[in-house]
Amino acid sequence: MNGKVIGTGPYRATKLWNETIKLFRGGLPLRRHWANFRSYDCSFTGAEAVDYLHDLLRRNYNFGPEVTRYQTLQLLRKFLKAHVIEDIKGRHGTEDFEDNGHLYRFPPLSPLKSFPTKPLFRDCGDLPRLIRWDDYEELPQRENIAPLKSSVMTSDLWNKRHSVAIGDVNECKLIRRKEITTKQVDHIWKSMTAEHLQRVLGLNSLDGVLNPTHVNGKHIVHNVFSVNKTGIVVLENKAEDMPYWVVSAMKCLANWPNGNGSKQPAYPGFERDVLKTVADYFQRLKEPLLTYHLYEVFVNILSLQQQQEVATEALQLSTLLLPPPNRRRLQLLLRLMARVCQNPHLPPLNDAIATRTLMVQMFSHCVLGSVDEMDLDELLSTKLVTFMMEHHNTIFQVPAKLRSQVQEHLSHLKRAQIKYAGSDTDFSASPAFCKQIRRVESEEQRVIGTQTPLQALLEGLIADRELPAKDKRKRLKQFQRSYPDVYNYRFPTEESKAAALPEKAPRLKPHLMFLRKPFQPFQRSWSFRA
């Protein structure tokens, strides 16, 4: 039960709150305690509650081993305020929970939070459908050039061009999509990124998780392409970047002891003051780096962390949605946290807390938080920030599949195509999906789609009365060599062939050629002299 992962869905923090209360009430050992010469059945001490809940949270994958005893104490204080627990005199709300021998008990029914009304973001007009070939323009025709007329090919020209080219080609036009604008490119990235995110999260819809109006395609394009060699976002407006003194302080800690480029005096405790300078800047930001709008998206990702590759891809997609200044700050902060934790030359930054735990506690609420502070925000942010810090080198990479599919779609839109006049079939729109068929069906479709025009060409050749019989027989032989299946289907027997083709006069042998002239009897002329 402790390893259960709460399923994805909107308002997951409320689900976790209710689930934690059920586990806490159902598992905490209750017994008789004495206080002030009086016994209290089914009670527990504050220290017992902290011990049990701390162990419960650390073993629960939704929170993990990074949960501290202090965070557990803070959660129990929220439990007391919400009347999940009460002291043995029935008081709650105003008292402060104490981690000692003070006695507490459960009320008859610990209140669970009700789920707020789920907001539906049905208006998906801001998420445009992928641009397709529905809109096209004809390529401009060259002026002052007479249109080419259909011409009858000679036998030699016919053989050179195609062995079965019969008749005139239908009038056709060369078309192409109008020039793709920057705004359309932004919309394509926006639409395809949202679709990929929905698929990775395993959701049927992003309703209640992500409002389409909060997705900016321009931000996505900037985060993909405007980066330096190390993958850090580069801002066009330098006024949106962090102050120089903050960047210098972060470099100092990240490269300690060689990061004091300003040559400031390195007095004892200098590194702690530098860390405090960086922490003060991030803690004073107006909203968390992951923004309030994307809170539900990142909370949903928490349940995917057992599948590391899936969780990493989900973070890659989600962080693309961030405004570029937020993404840049987050990249630099996580890189700083990772380097500080891995630097053996850096002195301890706190006398009581390990460096890794200190970094997570100090910056987690600067990364993730809700606009209405949730009771589990601190625990959830700790879990997420720990994962992001451990995988900061990969979560800011653009998913290769997303990049290739967007580029393939844009390339498709830029291709010129041919449209035949009177054609009932429109091949201009790219298919929305593909349906898998059996190999036999595929072969049948291939044969039918290829043979139909060839059969028409063969019939046209047979019906051509202006073509001399000799040339017709010659072309039919060429057709038979090139397409024996179509030819044999049309002429299964010699009788069918003889019925459709003109009869050929029999060729006489040389010794019988004289029979072609009418017989004349031998006559000898005689002449006499008088």
Side-chain angles (χ1 to χ4, degrees):
M1 186 67 174
N2 291 339
K4 179 180 178 182
V5 177
I6 307 300
T8 61
Y11 303 105
R12 183 169 173 271
T14 301
K15 292 183 179 181
L16 286 174
W17 170 270
N18 293 341
E19 184 70 16
T20 303
I21 292 175
K22 293 178 181 179
L23 293 174
F24 180 60
R25 278 184 63 101
L28 178 64
L30 304 178
R31 61 186 180 88
R32 178 181 297 179
H33 290 83
W34 288 84
N36 299 324
F37 305 101
R38 209 179 145 184
S39 65
Y40 297 91
D41 294 330
C42 299
S43 61
F44 54 91
T45 67
E48 291 173 346
V50 175
D51 289 340
Y52 177 80
L53 184 58
H54 186 212
D55 181 67
L56 174 68
L57 295 176
R58 286 171 57 86
R59 289 188 290 108
N60 189 300
Y61 196 83
N62 293 288
F63 305 103
E66 299 294 334
V67 177
T68 64
R69 187 176 183 86
Y70 176 77
Q71 290 175 323
T72 305
L73 177 61
Q74 291 295 99
L75 180 58
L76 282 168
R77 287 172 177 169
K78 294 179 181 179
F79 279 0
L80 181 61
K81 184 177 180 180
H83 202 194
V84 175
I85 58 177
E86 61 185 15
D87 68 5
I88 55 173
K89 295 182 180 181
R91 295 174 298 188
H92 64 89
T94 57
E95 286 69 23
D96 197 7
F97 186 89
E98 299 177 11
D99 185 6
N100 52 25
H102 194 78
L103 295 182
Y104 299 90
R105 68 187 181 190
F106 289 116
L109 181 63
S110 295
L112 300 179
K113 289 187 177 182
S114 59
F115 293 97
T117 304
K118 176 181 176 181
L120 299 179
F121 308 130
R122 297 294 185 186
D123 184 10
C124 296
D126 193 56
L127 273 180
R129 65 171 177 80
L130 289 180
I131 302 174
R132 298 187 299 230
W133 272 86
D134 299 334
D135 302 323
Y136 61 84
E137 62 179 352
E138 297 178 9
L139 294 181
Q141 302 292 334
R142 293 178 296 177
E143 299 179 356
N144 302 325
I145 298 179
L148 297 177
K149 296 183 179 180
S150 302
S151 60
V152 179
M153 296 183 182
T154 63
S155 179
D156 293 337
L157 180 60
W158 186 90
N159 289 330
K160 292 179 180 179
R161 295 295 300 272
H162 198 284
S163 61
V164 294
I166 307 297
D168 299 334
V169 178
N170 294 333
E171 180 184 0
C172 62
K173 298 178 180 179
L174 189 63
I175 61 174
R176 68 179 174 191
R177 179 65 170 76
K178 295 179 180 179
E179 291 298 329
I180 302 176
T181 64
T182 303
K183 184 177 180 179
Q184 290 171 334
V185 173
D186 295 343
H187 282 194
I188 291 174
W189 274 99
K190 172 180 177 177
S191 178
M192 299 191 76
T193 303
E195 290 177 2
H196 278 247
L197 178 61
Q198 178 179 324
R199 174 184 57 80
V200 173
L201 292 178
L203 301 176
N204 296 326
S205 171
L206 291 177
D207 288 343
V209 176
L210 177 63
N211 190 335
T213 59
H214 297 150
V215 180
N216 191 323
K218 185 178 296 185
H219 290 169
I220 299 175
V221 173
H222 187 104
N223 292 333
V224 171
F225 297 103
S226 298
V227 296
N228 58 20
K229 295 181 180 180
T230 60
I232 304 294
V233 172
V234 177
L235 301 179
E236 297 177 357
N237 185 1
K238 299 303 180 182
E240 297 178 338
D241 203 352
M242 292 184 294
Y244 174 77
W245 53 270
V246 177
V247 177
S248 299
M250 296 177 72
K251 289 181 179 179
C252 178
L253 279 178
N255 301 312
W256 187 274
N258 302 318
N260 191 5
S262 59
K263 303 301 180 183
Q264 296 178 356
Y267 53 85
F270 175 74
E271 66 282 351
R272 297 189 181 188
D273 289 343
V274 174
L275 176 62
K276 187 177 183 302
T277 300
V278 176
D280 288 342
Y281 170 78
F282 282 98
Q283 291 170 359
R284 292 177 182 177
L285 295 176
K286 295 182 179 180
E287 68 173 346
L289 295 177
L290 297 181
T291 73
Y292 293 134
H293 298 312
L294 299 178
Y295 175 80
E296 284 292 337
V297 175
F298 288 99
V299 169
N300 271 268
I301 296 176
L302 284 171
S303 64
L304 301 175
Q305 292 186 20
Q306 285 180 323
Q307 309 172 49
Q308 180 175 325
E309 293 184 0
V310 178
T312 300
E313 184 179 1
L315 286 172
Q316 289 174 341
L317 294 167
S318 302
T319 53
L320 284 177
L321 308 181
L322 294 173
N326 288 47
R327 182 179 170 94
R328 175 178 171 81
R329 291 185 180 95
L330 182 62
Q331 286 178 294
L332 295 176
L333 176 60
L334 292 177
R335 187 172 68 171
L336 168 67
M337 295 171 64
R339 289 188 177 182
V340 168
C341 294
Q342 298 169 1
N343 189 349
H345 304 290
L346 189 65
L349 299 174
N350 189 282
D351 296 332
I353 305 177
T355 300
R356 175 186 172 87
T357 303
L358 175 66
M359 297 301 290
V360 174
Q361 288 186 7
M362 183 174 289
F363 294 106
S364 59
H365 65 282
C366 305
V367 176
L368 178 68
S370 58
V371 62
D372 298 322
E373 184 177 352
M374 303 294 291
D375 293 317
L376 296 179
D377 274 357
E378 186 174 356
L379 296 177
L380 296 177
S381 60
T382 298
K383 177 71 172 176
L384 181 65
V385 171
T386 301
F387 183 88
M388 296 181 73
M389 182 180 66
E390 294 173 349
H391 303 88
H392 72 282
N393 287 327
T394 56
I395 63 175
F396 292 107
Q397 297 176 2
V398 181
K401 182 183 298 184
L402 172 64
R403 186 192 292 268
S404 63
Q405 290 186 2
V406 172
Q407 296 300 331
E408 181 180 353
H409 188 75
L410 291 174
S411 299
H412 169 75
L413 296 178
K414 296 176 182 178
R415 296 190 188 106
Q417 295 190 6
I418 296 177
K419 186 177 182 66
Y420 290 92
S423 174
D424 296 331
T425 304
D426 184 11
F427 298 98
S428 60
S430 58
F433 63 92
C434 298
K435 179 181 179 182
Q436 186 175 6
I437 61 175
R438 295 176 300 162
R439 182 182 298 274
V440 175
E441 295 177 342
S442 175
E443 290 297 325
E444 291 178 353
Q445 294 180 9
R446 182 185 64 81
V447 172
I448 294 174
T450 304
Q451 289 186 354
T452 300
L454 294 177
Q455 290 173 353
L457 291 173
L458 179 58
E459 294 297 335
L461 178 59
I462 297 173
D464 190 354
R465 297 183 178 180
E466 298 181 358
L467 190 65
K470 181 179 180 181
D471 291 340
K472 180 179 292 188
R473 287 192 296 271
K474 184 177 181 180
R475 295 186 185 184
L476 286 174
K477 287 183 179 180
Q478 293 173 344
F479 190 100
Q480 184 180 15
R481 287 195 298 268
S482 300
Y483 307 103
D485 294 339
V486 179
Y487 186 88
N488 294 332
Y489 179 82
R490 177 62 178 83
F491 303 118
T493 63
E494 290 295 331
E495 291 77 8
S496 60
K497 180 178 178 181
L501 301 180
E503 296 183 0
K504 180 180 178 181
R507 186 176 180 181
L508 300 179
K509 296 181 180 180
H511 65 280
L512 297 178
M513 291 295 292
F514 72 92
L515 294 176
R516 299 183 60 179
K517 297 181 181 180
F519 176 74
Q520 296 180 358
F522 179 77
Q523 296 180 358
R524 182 184 294 262
S525 59
W526 301 87
S527 60
F528 299 92
R529 291 184 180 179

